[in-house]
Amino acid sequence: MMTSTPTALTTLQNKRVLLGLCGGIAAYKAAELCRLLVGAGAEVQVVMTKGAQEFITPLTMQALSGQPVHTELLDPAAEAAMGHIQLARWADLILVAPASANFMARLAHGEASDLLTAVCLARRSPLALAPAMNQAMWSNATTMANLGLLESAGVLMFGPASGAQACGDVGPGRLLEPSELLQLCAMQFATGALAGKKVVITAGPTREAIDPVRYLSNHSSGKMGYAVAAAAIEAGAEVVLISGPTGLPVPDRCQLVPVTSALDMLAACESHPADIFIAVAAVADYRVARPAAAKIKKSAEELTLNLVRNPDILATIAGSKPRPFCVGFAAETEHLADYAKEKLRSKKLDMIFANDAIATFGNDAASITAYWPGGETTFEPQSKAQLARRMIALISQRSSTTDA
Ligand code: CTP
């Protein structure tokens, strides 16, 4: 679990956070979150749905936020004090924690049937949801479809975590811990975490020519590398994305260097010096020794291709002088932790992210573990965009500690 850092907390000073609560047993954790937000210097206004008030009283939230709690959409007195449009304008960040399946469904379809949905619909600030629900409700195809709609509307997802649930089930759907939610809120304002840094990222597969029309490659979609590039841009970095063929849209404000083979990728990396080098690409370990100049025609029953080792791009950059802060990825099908730690050591990396190759390739949601000399942390399954943000936050934190 990530702990709060003083740097992250200073970013919440004087920030206006609108904390929305939906009904659910996890609502009690929102009380602690409210206390932490106020403690970090944020101004907090609380909006509670009817369901939320069944689990925790407005009086508790009023005492913790130091502000009257908002519950009604159509109450003239309440609207006169601070109506839904004013609340939406007031907020620098809206966080709904816990967010129920019902709330996600209503929000995904643009409903404004109560105060919280109306405020969210009228928002001008980033909106983050911290879902909390039974694992079957979370995994249900309708909830997943609503999640897709919300993410495509730019709504941020904080969690959910996986584990034992109040109902006795085990699985995804737990509200993140208040300290983690606090950290994620702080990160929304820490936009300059990588300001002034040049980040070079490799992504996608490489293609190794057999002849002019055929090649050897792998199933890498490039999605993770592109998400990491987008998150680094969001954190203020100047980003060069050196990518094998993917067909993915290029993130805004990022310099794309398209490459095909591992040798092309190495040459591009060597001509783009970086402060931080993140190797997400699934580089082909071998290439055809002598690609045929013309298309190979079929004749013999057997064809042998002679393969030679490709250079290890990441190890080459990690061995260069001056060397950037080097981050690798290890996609493994077994012995994940051991292999990842061995790659961290042998390639002389500053950090490595390890994931399950089979669960990850081409999927939008994946979990990942980061290892660095003397430490590790695991991120629960979440969208690649969210994972990438958390990975960039960790890289920025670790690289500044290493600099110092
Ligand atoms: N990598 C690289 N150049 C290569 C091979 C890998 O830059 N020729 C980088 C990848 O981008 C990734 C990390 O090294 O960040 C780990 O890659 P992986 O293929 O999992 O490891 P390998 O060292 O190739 O080991 P193996 O294939 O035996 O698992």
Side-chain angles (χ1 to χ4, degrees):
M1 184 198 308
M2 293 179 72
T3 49
S4 316
T5 60
T7 5
L9 294 189
T10 52
T11 63
L12 280 166
Q13 198 70 44
N14 299 325
K15 293 295 183 310
R16 294 167 162 180
V17 180
L18 189 140
L19 180 60
L21 276 70
C22 299
I25 187 62
Y28 76 93
K29 288 190 186 175
E32 173 67 359
L33 173 61
C34 182
R35 195 185 65 79
L36 292 176
L37 285 166
V38 172
E43 220 183 305
V44 181
Q45 294 275 356
V46 176
V47 174
M48 296 175 75
T49 64
K50 281 208 162 43
Q53 295 167 61
E54 300 288 335
F55 288 88
I56 180 169
T57 67
L59 193 60
T60 303
M61 297 309 292
Q62 177 172 324
L64 291 168
S65 66
Q67 309 271 1
V69 168
H70 310 268
T71 56
E72 302 302 324
L73 177 60
L74 299 173
D75 173 352
E79 281 282 301
M82 203 170 190
H84 62 286
I85 301 295
Q86 272 170 300
L87 277 171
R89 278 195 194 137
W90 172 88
D92 294 322
L93 170 70
I94 302 176
L95 169 61
V96 181
S100 64
N102 175 278
F103 178 77
M104 283 176 63
R106 289 189 292 129
L107 190 66
H109 293 90
E111 282 193 27
S113 48
D114 65 3
L115 181 60
L116 189 54
T117 44
V119 169
C120 290
L121 201 60
R123 71 184 179 274
R124 296 183 170 192
S125 61
L127 166 63
L129 305 190
M133 65 195 73
N134 168 267
Q135 53 85 21
M137 290 173 79
W138 172 255
S139 309
N140 184 284
T142 312
T143 307
M144 288 295 110
N146 290 335
L147 173 68
L149 286 172
L150 292 169
E151 287 196 323
S152 61
V155 176
L156 303 169
M157 287 290 158
F158 293 174
S162 228
Q165 303 201 303
C167 54
D169 279 4
V170 177
R174 276 167 60 102
L175 188 70
L176 288 184
E177 290 306 317
S179 60
E180 290 179 289
L181 291 172
L182 179 77
Q183 195 71 26
L184 288 166
C185 286
M187 274 170 53
Q188 304 313 308
F189 300 108
T191 42
L194 289 181
K197 299 280 181 202
K198 183 159 175 192
V199 178
V200 171
I201 298 165
T202 67
T206 64
R207 284 183 185 171
E208 310 300 326
I210 297 172
D211 67 17
V213 296
R214 303 184 180 95
Y215 55 81
L216 298 174
S217 192
N218 58 63
H219 290 299
S220 168
S221 67
K223 284 182 183 175
M224 192 74 243
Y226 279 58
V228 170
I233 292 161
E234 223 174 73
E238 181 193 336
V239 175
V240 178
L241 179 59
I242 300 176
S243 175
T246 66
L248 293 173
V250 183
D252 273 351
R253 291 168 287 146
C254 141
Q255 184 193 343
L256 177 76
V257 180
V259 294
T260 306
S261 68
L263 290 180
D264 295 343
M265 190 174 267
L266 175 62
C269 292
E270 287 182 322
S271 60
H272 288 91
D275 297 305
I276 298 174
F277 180 73
I278 311 176
V280 197
V283 183
D285 287 327
Y286 293 89
R287 67 178 182 279
V288 177
R290 281 170 301 280
K295 187 179 166 198
I296 301 173
K297 302 301 278 182
K298 59 179 169 300
S299 54
E301 281 305 311
E302 282 189 16
L303 174 71
T304 305
L305 287 176
N306 229 335
L307 303 182
V308 290
R309 276 284 289 273
N310 267 330
D312 190 306
I313 300 170
L314 178 55
T316 308
I317 299 297
S320 63
K321 286 203 172 68
R323 76 192 279 284
F325 183 89
C326 287
V327 182
F329 273 69
E332 307 290 352
T333 53
E334 55 183 0
H335 310 301
L336 195 116
D338 289 347
Y339 286 161
K341 286 181 191 166
E342 174 51 23
K343 284 176 189 174
L344 180 73
R345 198 192 53 74
S346 65
K347 299 195 189 198
K348 298 190 173 57
L349 307 181
D350 298 291
M351 187 182 289
I352 193 157
F353 289 98
N355 57 17
D356 183 320
I358 295 167
T360 308
F361 269 20
N363 287 338
D364 277 327
S367 74
I368 211 157
T369 302
Y371 301 92
W372 59 89
E376 64 178 79
T377 189
T378 296
F379 300 136
E380 299 292 341
Q382 52 199 295
S383 73
K384 283 189 176 170
Q386 281 300 335
L387 258 183
R389 285 194 185 98
R390 298 187 70 182
M391 286 161 44
I392 284 294
L394 188 62
I395 290 170
S396 133
Q397 195 189 343
R398 295 280 335 144
S399 63
S400 57
T401 322
T402 312
D403 281 353

